Amino acid sequence: MKDPLARATSRPPPTLGEGCVRRYDPEAMDESIGSDFSGAAELWRQLQEQPERPEKPQEK
């Protein structure tokens, strides 16, 4: 086998940058690779509307 990754069933999305600034290409992210963020904006809005929970008092 020349390329062991040729038989893999999935592949990571394309990336941009190198080293510490390497990240997935946001233009390549879609439902075909399992990343569908269509409901993210609505979820964020709902989370922002929820009242904050009071913190527990710290025990001494």
Side-chain angles (χ1 to χ4, degrees):
M1 180 181 341
K2 292 181 182 179
D3 182 12
L5 298 177
R7 296 183 62 186
T9 58
S10 64
R11 298 189 185 275
T15 57
L16 300 173
E18 295 181 17
C20 294
V21 295
R22 189 172 186 177
R23 65 200 180 281
Y24 291 121
D25 181 4
E27 298 298 319
M29 306 288 276
D30 62 15
E31 63 278 346
S32 68
I33 59 170
S35 55
D36 176 19
F37 301 105
S38 60
E42 177 62 22
L43 175 60
W44 181 251
R45 186 190 63 73
Q46 290 174 6
L47 291 173
Q48 295 304 308
E49 290 178 354
Q50 290 179 357
E52 290 187 34
R53 293 187 215 167
E55 292 185 26
K56 292 181 181 178
Q58 292 189 6
E59 297 179 18
K60 294 183 180 181

